[in-house]
Amino acid sequence: MRLHVRGHRLPDDQPVQWWIVDGTLSAEPVAGAETVFDQGWILPGLVDAHCHVGVGPGGAVELDEAIRQAETERDAGALLLRDCGSPIDTRSLDDRDNLPRIIRAGRHLAKPKRYIPGLPIDIDDESQLPAAVAEQARRGDGWVKLVGDWIDREVGDLAPLWSDEVLKAAIDTAHAHGARVTAHVFGEDALPGLIKAGIDCIEHGTGLTDDTIELMVEHGTTLVPTLINIENFPGIAERASRYPVYADHMRNLYARGRQRVAAARDAGVPIYAGTDAGGGITHGRIADEVDALKGIGMSPTEALGAACWDARRWLGRPALEHGASADLLCYTDDPRYGAAVLNRPDLVILRGRVF
Ligand SMILES: [Zn+2]
């Protein structure tokens, strides 16, 4: 089927039209194409830069539920997902041309009892971390995910999992395998070691200080704050009453989190939109994260770019260009208006097929 769409592109609002042949975008007119969209805005597929396909509220899910999660993301316009760690093998989803593209980080790497039970590969002896990183780098799609900090029940508070030395060795190993590294970090103390070791991205980052923000700028580290997931911190604190220091710490991180992410943005740290869908967040909420990014000072266009064209460039995937896969969204109303518009595209086109 040959299709034609016409509208305005973003961020520059210029008129644009595309033809779609055999699942691919063409900037050149194609004979016999049916015009399926003729006024409004045309965007590359949205990006959820932090989600977990294969994880539900109770932990790992069956493959058919993972497929439903991916369908939910597609229907909300998220056509490119950076999976930040999944305990199940979702590679067979790549064979289904009706599902979003997934960039996998393999499985979370943690120490025993230092992350959500059942999700990570537990590493008893940290000297094994570089080898574990190498294995995940080979199995993933260019990313490796570390758990950078978590509650240490013996300390009764958040604490880093890894020594600075092993982090350097592990991150160097990932880079030697052509993979980038990111880490889950809620608190303050794990950040200097990770950033100085050359980590590529920080997830959450609620514990950023002015000093660690400066380190991120110096090292070119990126931030995916998952703002809608930070809303779960008060509930985490509530359930942690046996660990009052930790509970207070989580409340404190919650109270300062948005201001810290805003400070990182002001300092020039690149920030992208991720929901953390999978555990405490349901799939299909990228539009809510875009709205939340406006709350830390991003303009509507900048916030949308963080979940769209800018995120695609960061992940090394094409936006709308001649010869690229036709993964696009059409909106009659301005998608910068808010989540009510953004999560209801008038047309979702994935690999040239209309949904
Ligand atoms: Zn996550």
Side-chain angles (χ1 to χ4, degrees), residues 76 88 96 171 267:
I88 71 164
R96 294 171 180 258
I171 292 167

Side-chain angles (χ1 to χ4, degrees), residues 50 52 84 108 115 145 184 204 276:
H50 181 144
H52 304 276
C84 276
H108 297 84
Y115 196 55
K145 173 76 177 289
H184 163 109
H204 318 303
D276 212 355

